[in-house]
Amino acid sequence: MNTDIENLFKDKVIGHPAGLFIIFFTEMWERFSFYGMRILLILFLTAPIISDNPGWEWPREHALALIGTYGSLLYLTPILGGWLADKYTGYKWAVIIGCFLMMLGHAAMVIDTPWALYLGLGLLIVGTGFFKPNMTSMISAMYEGKESKKDGAYTIYYMGVNAGAFFGMMLCGYLAENMGWHYGFGLAGIFMLLGLIQFWLAKDFFGEIGEKPLKEVKSEETVIGSVEEVKGQDAKLAQEKPNPFTTLDLVLIVLSSLGGLLYLFNDPMSKIGDINFLDFQIGGLDGSNVTVLTALVLFLYLIISRISRYSKIVRDKIIAVSVFGIFTVFFFAAFEQSLGSMTLFARDYTMRDLQGTSALIFKIVDLILTVGPLAIITWVLYLLFKKTYSKIPLSNIVLALSFVVLWYIVYYKISNEFSKETTEVPATWFGILNSFFIITLAPIFSKWWESKYNPSAAMKYGLGLVLLGLGFGVLVFGTLGIAPGAKTASVSMIFLILAYLLHTMGELCISPVGLSYLSKLVPGRMIGFMFGIWYLAIAIGQKAAGTMGGMIDKITEEYSLSTFFLIFTLVPIAIGLVSVVLNPVLKRLMHDVR
């Protein structure tokens, strides 16, 4: 047994090693910065130039094209970042490099110029590539040989993700909308810096865990794990013969990657900067569409040809994973409207000015939502201090300083709002609902998945997609009275709140279980490649979300806002029903893996 792992498990907080909570808080600050910045981006880019809080007044289509490309690249760079960490840097240094680059990215975005915006987004994309895959790899390394405790560890980690997203959107959003956009961007950068310093000062606490990998080639048993550790797979599956990449495979990977990247960069550049390096047409299709469709065809050929070379059982299981990947694309294309068209809906079409009793009720609810979770996390911080202060005092001091700053901003926000007779709910406030509902509903769904009523994978996907569609159905109903072409309206907040509730329930059916099924279905030696495919599916969904969300003005002017949301109602529900119908087929392909 690794002595570093044993040492980590000697200092426990809530039944888990203290090192998990160092990762928890590092991830929390990273997500604070990430979501705090991201929810501001669409509002800042589309805000009027002449206003109390001026933005850049971009057309919505242009802003969402950029955000779609940004979101897509965030899920592609981790494929490279994970490979670099495995081969060269190790997990700890990859996390530190990622934090540093993201801190520089946030700093750049404080500067109010286009070049600083693009530089900042580029640094955030590369930094996320280093950070995102290697935090979870650190946890996996910490729990090596203690697989029974991994589920609980990842649940705690997931809470850190959502706590960071919750406070980031709430507090960065509040400062941005009440004091100025760059106060929000600046706050995101400050907490990213504090997260970097905290993790840097605590890195030695992990010993050799996450250090630079050994140069010697690992044995076959080390690479794929012992047969007993391959959950849900038999020995024959774990010992599946290698399927090396052929020259043709590598050529197809390069060509499809280049085509996809050309499309990702050309789409916003051709709209925003009028720079089109795919300026041609074939058969009525413009160059961008020709390029991305060609890349898609090449990639599909690559996948099909590789799958055909596996044995029947493995082939069946990878086909099942691929089908779930297609469902994932449709899910994220609709779900990611939350940081795009739904945030615009919150700003421009939702009644956010409250007076009298309504204002007081909102202030009290907001107070409870803010102080309650922060108090719980502060208590966890206190427990961590008790176990680690003598070992990593400087890291704990930085962490304590972070919480002092956080509590001060919360105090400022609450006291400022209660000093007013009326209140205007920030458009960014609605973004916190997803994280709040995840934190409150996740234990219920977890119990459901562990019970005898646990649905099959296809049924979970079907249910998740249907719930997602129903959430948009609520918005369809709420916007029926808005005239075609209207730029503003005053729809009740309840419609947006119900939509986020249904969307979160749909997410809990799909997002946490997708990677779980992938790890169960794919043999160890293939899992890296399939994780890459999975991130690619999410990346396609992210770009599709930006492209489809960018059609909001065109569809609203020609038809209505209800028609726009109706598309996101019918498509997910239809795909969800397809998943339900395919349930028997997918069960056979999964060969009894649950």
Side-chain angles (χ1 to χ4, degrees):
M1 179 63 69
N2 188 317
T3 55
D4 288 319
I5 295 174
E6 289 301 300
N7 289 334
L8 281 174
F9 272 81
K10 288 178 182 177
D11 295 315
K12 290 185 179 181
V13 176
I14 321 178
H16 286 270
L20 175 65
F21 291 90
I22 295 171
I23 291 174
F24 172 97
F25 284 115
T26 306
E27 177 66 30
M28 177 176 159
W29 298 139
E30 189 274 335
R31 291 290 93 179
F32 181 103
S33 304
F34 174 80
Y35 280 101
M37 181 283 298
R38 192 174 175 191
I39 198 168
L40 301 182
L41 197 53
I42 184 66
L43 298 176
F44 165 68
L45 292 175
T46 58
I49 295 175
I50 302 175
S51 66
D52 294 335
N53 192 11
W56 287 1
E57 203 168 347
W58 282 14
R60 294 172 178 178
E61 183 183 8
H62 293 185
L64 287 166
L66 177 64
I67 291 170
T69 291
Y70 169 63
S72 184
L73 290 172
L74 286 172
Y75 281 91
L76 294 177
T77 53
I79 301 172
L80 181 59
W83 178 80
L84 288 172
D86 283 336
K87 197 167 182 66
Y88 299 108
T89 65
Y91 304 141
K92 277 197 290 193
W93 277 103
V95 169
I96 291 167
I97 292 168
C99 286
F100 180 71
L101 291 174
M102 288 187 287
M103 183 267 295
L104 292 178
H106 286 297
M109 294 189 70
V110 176
I111 304 170
D112 195 2
T113 61
W115 72 263
L117 171 71
Y118 300 137
L119 174 63
L121 292 179
L123 289 167
L124 288 168
I125 289 166
V126 177
T128 300
F130 278 101
F131 185 93
K132 191 178 182 69
N134 294 306
M135 288 300 279
T136 51
S137 296
M138 284 282 292
I139 297 174
S140 181
M142 282 172 54
Y143 283 80
E144 185 179 335
K146 297 180 182 290
E147 276 69 23
S148 62
K149 297 183 71 67
K150 270 189 180 179
D151 287 348
Y154 280 112
T155 299
I156 291 171
Y157 174 78
Y158 198 52
M159 291 297 181
V161 169
N162 284 285
F166 180 90
F167 287 111
M169 287 187 281
M170 175 182 282
L171 300 180
C172 292
Y174 185 82
L175 292 186
E177 292 192 70
N178 287 274
M179 297 177 64
W181 299 112
H182 297 291
Y183 283 93
F185 290 135
L187 184 65
I190 288 170
F191 277 99
M192 191 68 257
L193 173 61
L194 291 170
L196 166 62
I197 297 172
Q198 171 222 326
F199 187 81
W200 168 268
L201 293 172
K203 68 182 188 302
D204 293 337
F205 186 80
F206 297 94
E208 294 297 316
I209 294 172
E211 287 289 354
K212 187 174 179 180
L214 298 175
K215 290 186 177 180
E216 60 263 24
V217 178
K218 296 179 181 180
S219 68
E220 186 74 6
E221 184 178 2
T222 305
V223 173
I224 65 172
S226 65
V227 172
E228 290 78 16
E229 289 176 341
V230 182
K231 284 188 173 182
Q233 300 182 50
D234 56 24
K236 187 175 180 180
L237 202 60
Q239 295 168 0
E240 174 71 19
K241 290 182 180 180
N243 182 8
F245 287 96
T246 65
T247 302
L248 178 60
D249 288 342
L250 296 174
V251 169
L252 290 173
I253 289 173
V254 170
L255 291 177
S256 58
S257 298
L258 285 175
L261 289 172
L262 278 171
Y263 170 75
L264 282 178
F265 285 104
N266 189 69
D267 181 46
M269 288 175 66
S270 62
K271 293 172 180 174
I272 300 166
D274 200 24
I275 302 171
N276 189 352
F277 41 77
L278 297 174
D279 190 12
F280 62 89
Q281 283 195 339
I282 297 178
L285 291 175
D286 62 46
S288 285
N289 288 327
V290 169
T291 302
V292 74
L293 289 174
T294 301
L296 181 60
V297 170
L298 293 175
F299 182 74
L300 288 175
Y301 179 81
L302 166 69
I303 294 298
I304 293 169
S305 64
R306 282 192 62 78
I307 289 175
S308 67
R309 299 198 293 265
Y310 288 118
S311 63
K312 184 182 186 308
I313 293 178
V314 174
R315 184 167 63 243
D316 287 349
K317 292 187 175 186
I318 295 179
I319 290 172
V321 170
S322 301
V323 172
F324 291 138
I326 294 170
F327 294 156
T328 299
V329 171
F330 282 98
F331 177 82
F332 278 98
F335 180 79
E336 285 300 326
Q337 298 302 313
S338 60
L339 296 179
S341 62
M342 287 178 67
T343 301
L344 293 174
F345 177 78
R347 182 187 68 184
D348 298 332
Y349 299 98
T350 302
M351 185 174 63
R352 298 183 288 114
D353 293 316
L354 304 178
Q355 299 178 351
T357 304
S358 298
L360 180 60
I361 291 172
F362 174 79
K363 290 173 185 177
I364 293 171
V365 170
D366 187 49
L367 170 66
I368 295 169
L369 283 178
T370 307
V371 174
L374 185 54
I376 293 170
I377 296 172
T378 304
W379 174 70
V380 174
L381 175 68
Y382 168 71
L383 295 178
L384 180 64
F385 277 8
K386 288 173 62 178
K387 294 290 184 180
T388 63
Y389 186 78
S390 62
K391 296 181 179 179
I392 46 171
L394 293 178
S395 176
N396 282 328
I397 289 170
V398 172
L399 192 52
L401 176 63
S402 304
F403 270 77
V404 169
V405 174
L406 197 60
W407 273 105
Y408 176 77
I409 297 170
V410 167
Y411 169 77
Y412 167 78
K413 172 180 178 291
I414 293 170
S415 60
N416 188 48
E417 287 304 307
F418 272 90
S419 67
K420 303 174 184 176
E421 292 185 6
T422 62
T423 191
E424 181 181 43
V425 181
T428 52
W429 182 86
F430 296 93
I432 74 169
L433 294 174
N434 176 245
S435 294
F436 172 72
F437 288 138
I438 281 178
I439 293 169
T440 53
L441 295 176
I444 298 172
F445 277 76
S446 179
K447 289 291 184 184
W448 183 8
W449 303 155
E450 293 172 4
S451 73
K452 64 180 181 180
Y453 301 106
N454 181 24
S456 64
M459 294 301 289
K460 285 176 184 173
Y461 269 84
L463 179 60
L465 284 158
V466 169
L467 287 168
L468 179 66
L470 291 176
F472 283 107
V474 170
L475 296 180
V476 171
F477 184 75
T479 55
L480 285 173
I482 299 177
K487 296 296 184 182
T488 60
S490 295
V491 176
S492 171
M493 289 193 303
I494 192 65
F495 292 104
L496 203 50
I497 293 170
L498 286 174
Y500 272 107
L501 173 61
L502 289 165
H503 287 186
T504 304
M505 292 169 67
E507 181 188 8
L508 287 168
C509 290
I510 291 178
S511 194
V513 301
L515 290 176
S516 174
Y517 281 118
L518 188 150
S519 66
K520 293 174 183 177
L521 289 167
V522 179
R525 69 167 74 251
M526 308 167 203
I527 204 160
F529 176 72
M530 291 308 296
F531 267 116
I533 299 300
W534 196 262
Y535 277 131
L536 178 62
I538 298 175
I540 294 171
Q542 294 276 345
K543 183 56 184 174
T547 302
M548 295 169 68
M551 299 167 66
I552 184 171
D553 284 336
K554 183 177 180 180
I555 294 174
T556 299
E557 289 172 6
E558 191 169 345
Y559 301 99
S560 67
L561 189 59
S562 291
T563 303
F564 174 78
F565 286 125
L566 184 62
I567 295 170
F568 293 103
T569 301
L570 297 179
V571 173
I573 289 177
I575 301 298
L577 294 177
V578 169
S579 180
V580 172
V581 171
L582 290 178
N583 182 44
V585 176
L586 288 168
K587 272 186 174 180
R588 286 196 297 272
L589 291 172
M590 292 171 69
H591 291 272
D592 298 324
V593 170
R594 290 185 62 84

